[in-house]
């Protein structure tokens, strides 16, 4: 008898131990709770009106926790409903590829230099799909709203079903899922994840066709790196795209967590413990009482202190006009950061200070041979073709470039009739060739510093130097009649050195600026002809100072 009782109690002990270790019943979960697991579809009705089949934005999973339609899900599933979303194009800074993306709305993201274009911004409404049978079309659709959301440490949100899709009020009772205690879970425990993984990438109608899926795994351990306050339950069960927000069942067939994410490196799934939803429910006393009645337990005090709860009120988006200005300004920044071709017509209405100084053998009929001969401007014009190579991108609004004018020329006329020579040669005896046109041809190189102002206007300062060739088109610089003798002085071609500095303001393709030129010709030759016969040559030097206006046309590449 004693042996019989010992064997009997040992058998009972083994039976209770086996039952306590694992009684996860997937068939029971699927049959009993299929009508409490929901698919959450994010829909923008305004986008759909503007462009058919564009209203579907994203999806996730969730589960009913009260019979009047309260739903638990992840925060990241329904953020578009509160913060808004943006459909945009950006440039990958590593590969420079253009990538199309839909993500949570952020004014900072719109202002980022990598954001190239924003196609659309808006809010989504959560449409909840609930099955009442096991058939493909055995479901109903409801409108819901976000009533509370944790923006702190816990990735959780609470929704409330508000009406049928046709706007009629909800009359039926829903089927809540039993809530367990996530603090009681143990490493090694069997887990079941229930949700609606997205098998396809398509529009709203095809997304309705996805059926529910069960995946299984172990409670693999805990993780407190991604979330120091609450931590995550790790699992080897698959959490696929679309599973986010779905329930995680334990060995007692109760929900102890919310499927949240999958690691990039290990594919280990992360589950938010369901007790973390208690802190979200505390935002409303009535809500908290209803969820505690449904079985929701409080998390640790440390965890609940770390939460920041908001209601589901929509956060404002910036106006479309302002957003277009921001994007347009960033396009200008991208152009600004690259090199630019330019063409600059030049003209002056200021002055040309042209001085000749000859050596002791000079034969120019000037009043004082020891003083430089000053000529007076009558006109000047020219052009430059060049390219600015960016050297140092100091910031997104400032750069240092190498300014190379590979072809430049300007032409100016000076008037000797306004210069007193000497008493024997009055001005009226100087003939018309006194007006001379000189062509100055050059290529030049130097630094340029540019600053982008007000997103569109560019201020630039540059300093350049180069060798210069002066070629007189009218070689006769002075011609006068003395008795029967005609006296001409011819200026020959000359080489020298030029330098210029300037500043300009550019708006888009057009720039306006001021250029200061300084040219020095150290070896100049002037030939004296008398009645067409060579008499003598005088060596000397010439300096030329010119202040000119520039009108630039810049052709930037993006």
């Amino acid at each position: 008898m004693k042996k019989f009782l010992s064997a009997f109690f040992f058998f009972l002990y083994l039976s209770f131990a086996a039952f306590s270790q694992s009684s996860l019943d997937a068939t029971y979960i699927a049959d009993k709770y299929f009508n409490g697991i929901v698919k959450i579809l994010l829909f923008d009705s305004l986008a759909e009106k503007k462009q058919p089949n564009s209203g579907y934005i994203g999806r996730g999973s969730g589960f009913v926790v009260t019979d009047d339609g309260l739903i638990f899900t992840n925060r990241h599933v329904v953020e578009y409903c509160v913060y808004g979303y943006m459909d945009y194009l950006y440039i990958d800074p590593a590969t420079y590829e253009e990538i199309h993306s839909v993500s949570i709305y952020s004014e900072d993201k719109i202002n980022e230099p990598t954001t190239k274009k924003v196609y659309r911004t808006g809010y989504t409404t959560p449409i909840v799909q609930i099955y009442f049978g096991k058939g493909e079309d055995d479901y109903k659709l409801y409108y819901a709203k976000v009533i509370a959301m944790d923006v702190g440490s816990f990735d959780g949100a609470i929704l409330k079903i508000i009406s049928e899709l046709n706007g009629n009020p909800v009359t039926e009772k829903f089927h809540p899922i039993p809530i367990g205690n996530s603090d009681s879970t143990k490493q090694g425990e069997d887990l079941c994840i229930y949700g609606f993984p997205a098998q396809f990438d398509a529009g709203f109608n095809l997304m309705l066709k996805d059926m529910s899926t069960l995946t299984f795994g172990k409670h693999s351990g805990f993780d407190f790196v991604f979330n120091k306050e609450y931590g995550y339950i790790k699992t080897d069960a698959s959490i696929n795209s679309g599973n986010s927000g779905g329930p995680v069942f334990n060995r007692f067939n109760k929900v102890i967590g919310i499927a949240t994410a999958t690691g990039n490196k290990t594919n280990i799934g992360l589950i938010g413990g369901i007790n973390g939803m208690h802190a979200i429910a505390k935002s409303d006393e009535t809500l908290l009482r209803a969820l505690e009645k449904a079985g929701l337990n409080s998390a640790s005090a440390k965890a609940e202190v770390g939460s920041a709860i908001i209601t589901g009120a929509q956060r404002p988006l910036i106006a479309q006009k302002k957003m277009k200005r921001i994007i347009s300004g960033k396009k200008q920044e991208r152009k600004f950061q690259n090199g630019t071709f330019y063409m600059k017509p030049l003209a002056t209405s200021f002055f040309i200070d042209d001085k000749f100084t000859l050596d002791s053998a000079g034969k120019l009929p000037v009043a004082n041979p020891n003083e430089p001969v000053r000529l007076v401007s009558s006109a000047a014009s020219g052009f430059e073709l060049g390219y600015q190579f960016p050297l140092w991108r100091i910031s997104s609004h400032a750069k240092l470039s190498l300014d190379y004018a590979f072809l430049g020329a300007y032409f100016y006329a000076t008037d000797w009739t306004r210069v007193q020579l000497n008493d024997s040669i009055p001005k009226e005896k100087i003939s018309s060739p006194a007006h001379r046109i000189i062509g100055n041809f050059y290529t030049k190189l130097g630094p340029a510093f540019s600053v982008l102002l007000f997103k569109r206007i560019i201020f630039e300062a540059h300093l350049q130097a180069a060798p210069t060739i002066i070629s007189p088109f009218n070689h006769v610089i002075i011609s006068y009649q003395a008795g029967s003798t005609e006296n001409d002085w011819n200026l020959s071609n000359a080489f020298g050195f030029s330098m210029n500095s300037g500043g300009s303001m550019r708006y888009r393709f057009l720039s306006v600026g001021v250029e200061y030129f300084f040219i020095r010709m150290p070896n100049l030759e002037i030939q004296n002809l008398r009645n067409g016969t060579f008499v003598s040559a005088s060596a000397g030097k010439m300096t030329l100072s010119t202040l000119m206006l520039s009108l630039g046309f810049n052709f930037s590449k993006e």
Side-chain angles (χ1 to χ4, degrees):
M1 185 68 180
K2 187 176 181 180
K3 291 182 178 180
F4 173 78
L5 290 174
S6 298
F8 175 75
F9 284 115
F10 180 73
F11 176 77
L12 286 178
Y13 169 77
L14 292 178
S15 298
F16 281 113
F19 178 80
S20 63
Q21 286 176 4
S22 176
S23 60
L24 181 66
D25 189 338
T27 303
Y28 176 82
I29 290 172
D31 286 341
K32 183 76 172 175
Y33 302 132
F34 76 92
N35 51 9
I37 314 300
V38 306
K39 187 189 301 177
I40 300 170
L41 298 159
L42 304 178
F43 194 76
D44 183 353
S45 57
L46 293 178
E48 185 71 16
K49 287 180 181 179
K50 293 180 180 178
Q51 184 179 350
N53 301 319
S54 67
Y56 168 72
I57 305 301
R59 59 177 286 181
S61 300
F63 53 100
V64 177
V65 291
T66 62
D67 60 6
D68 61 347
L70 288 177
I71 294 171
F72 282 179
T73 187
N74 284 138
R75 173 186 62 227
H76 74 260
V77 170
V78 294
E79 280 181 316
Y80 293 171
C81 306
V82 177
Y83 294 119
Y85 72 94
M86 52 187 288
D87 183 353
Y88 70 108
L89 187 71
Y90 72 94
I91 300 173
D92 188 322
T95 64
Y96 296 100
E97 293 181 5
E98 292 184 352
I99 299 176
H100 177 258
S101 178
V102 176
S103 69
I104 187 169
Y105 170 85
S106 168
E107 189 167 345
D108 290 338
K109 189 171 292 183
I110 293 174
N111 283 287
E112 284 180 1
T114 54
T115 301
K116 186 174 182 182
K117 187 174 184 179
V118 177
Y119 300 105
R120 184 172 69 244
T121 61
Y123 299 100
T124 59
T125 298
I127 295 178
V128 176
Q129 182 184 19
I130 301 181
Y131 281 83
F132 56 84
K134 293 299 183 75
E136 178 186 12
D137 298 319
D138 296 340
Y139 63 81
K140 290 186 69 174
L141 300 176
Y142 302 88
Y143 281 124
K145 68 176 181 178
V146 180
I147 60 172
M149 190 170 77
D150 191 333
V151 294
S153 301
F154 191 75
D155 190 351
I158 302 174
L159 277 64
K160 178 72 166 65
I161 293 175
I162 55 175
S163 73
E164 296 180 349
L165 205 61
N166 57 12
N168 292 332
V170 178
T171 56
E172 69 265 36
K173 295 292 184 180
F174 297 98
H175 303 277
I177 307 297
I179 298 174
N181 186 346
S182 56
D183 288 343
S184 67
T185 59
K186 296 180 179 180
Q187 190 174 21
E189 182 179 358
D190 289 325
L191 299 177
C192 172
I193 296 175
Y194 202 169
F196 294 89
Q199 287 185 275
F200 312 102
D201 290 322
F204 184 81
N205 291 329
L206 186 57
M207 290 301 98
L208 292 173
K209 302 295 183 182
D210 271 340
M211 305 292 285
S212 62
T213 302
L214 297 171
T215 59
F216 304 92
K218 293 288 186 181
H219 180 324
S220 302
F222 294 95
D223 180 277
F224 288 91
V225 174
F226 295 104
N227 187 332
K228 292 183 179 180
E229 280 87 14
Y230 290 93
Y232 280 109
I233 301 167
K234 294 191 292 187
T235 182
D236 58 347
S238 297
I239 300 178
N240 300 299
S241 174
N243 268 136
S244 291
V248 181
F249 291 87
N250 69 351
R251 66 185 186 272
F252 301 113
N253 301 321
K254 290 186 176 183
V255 179
I256 51 85
I258 301 174
T260 301
T262 299
N264 291 329
K265 291 186 177 182
T266 61
N267 291 322
I268 291 178
L270 299 177
I271 299 167
I274 198 166
N275 290 11
M277 298 296 291
H278 190 273
I280 303 177
K282 285 171 65 176
S283 61
D284 184 284
E285 178 104 11
T286 303
L287 178 64
L288 179 62
R289 285 199 302 268
L291 291 175
E292 285 181 335
K293 184 178 180 181
L296 184 62
N297 296 282
S298 129
S300 67
K302 176 185 175 184
E304 297 208 3
V305 169
S307 295
I309 313 304
I310 63 168
T311 65
Q314 292 178 342
R315 300 301 173 92
L317 307 180
I318 63 172
Q320 293 289 324
K321 289 183 178 180
K322 180 181 177 182
M323 184 171 61
K324 287 180 180 180
R325 288 197 300 269
I326 293 172
I327 297 299
S328 178
K330 288 208 302 298
K331 286 181 180 179
Q332 184 67 24
E333 285 184 23
R334 287 192 294 273
K335 292 178 182 179
F336 168 75
Q337 289 298 309
N338 289 296
T340 176
F341 286 99
Y342 63 84
M343 181 182 71
K344 289 197 289 191
L346 305 167
T348 185
S349 58
F350 294 98
F351 69 86
I352 294 178
D353 190 6
D354 196 354
K355 299 177 182 178
F356 283 92
T357 304
L358 299 182
D359 60 15
S360 57
K363 302 296 183 180
L364 283 175
V366 294
N368 186 353
N370 296 319
E371 291 292 329
V373 179
R374 184 184 297 271
L375 284 72
V376 181
S377 168
S378 59
S381 63
F383 70 91
E384 286 182 5
L385 297 176
Y387 186 80
Q388 287 187 350
F389 300 89
L391 295 177
W392 179 24
R393 297 179 180 182
I394 302 170
S395 70
S396 62
H397 290 71
K399 68 175 178 178
L400 184 67
S401 302
L402 184 65
D403 193 351
Y404 175 45
F406 48 83
L407 177 60
Y410 66 88
F411 312 95
Y412 59 95
T414 53
D415 187 356
W416 283 60
T417 61
R418 297 172 65 182
V419 178
Q420 179 67 48
L421 299 179
N422 58 35
D423 295 337
S424 62
I425 308 176
K427 291 181 180 180
E428 58 269 16
K429 288 194 174 184
I430 299 176
S431 56
S432 59
H435 294 275
R436 65 186 177 94
I437 299 176
I438 289 182
N440 177 23
F441 300 94
Y442 56 87
T443 180
K444 61 182 182 177
L445 194 67
F449 175 73
S450 307
V451 178
L452 181 62
L453 307 173
F454 312 114
K455 300 288 186 180
R456 289 174 179 262
I457 298 174
I458 296 172
F459 170 76
E460 178 188 294
H462 62 267
L463 176 67
Q464 295 167 305
T468 300
I469 300 174
I470 280 191
S471 178
F473 285 81
N474 185 344
H475 289 264
V476 179
I477 59 173
I478 296 180
S479 181
Y480 68 93
Q481 197 77 19
S484 60
T485 303
E486 184 178 318
N487 296 273
D488 298 323
W489 273 263
N490 289 354
L491 177 65
S492 64
N493 293 334
F495 291 90
F497 174 82
S498 69
M499 183 178 69
N500 87 292
S501 60
S504 63
M505 298 292 286
R506 171 153 65 104
Y507 177 74
R508 292 187 175 180
F509 296 113
L510 184 66
S511 67
V512 178
V514 176
E515 306 275 344
Y516 175 75
F517 284 87
F518 175 80
I519 300 174
R520 182 176 177 82
M521 297 290 169
N523 298 303
L524 192 67
E525 182 180 281
I526 296 181
Q527 297 178 347
N528 182 10
L529 302 179
R530 195 166 293 165
N531 291 330
T533 302
F534 176 79
V535 175
S536 64
S538 299
K541 57 188 177 183
M542 183 185 76
T543 59
L544 173 67
S545 300
T546 313
L547 190 64
M548 308 186 79
L549 290 175
S550 66
L551 179 66
F553 299 95
N554 295 267
F555 307 98
S556 300
K557 65 178 182 178
E558 191 167 339

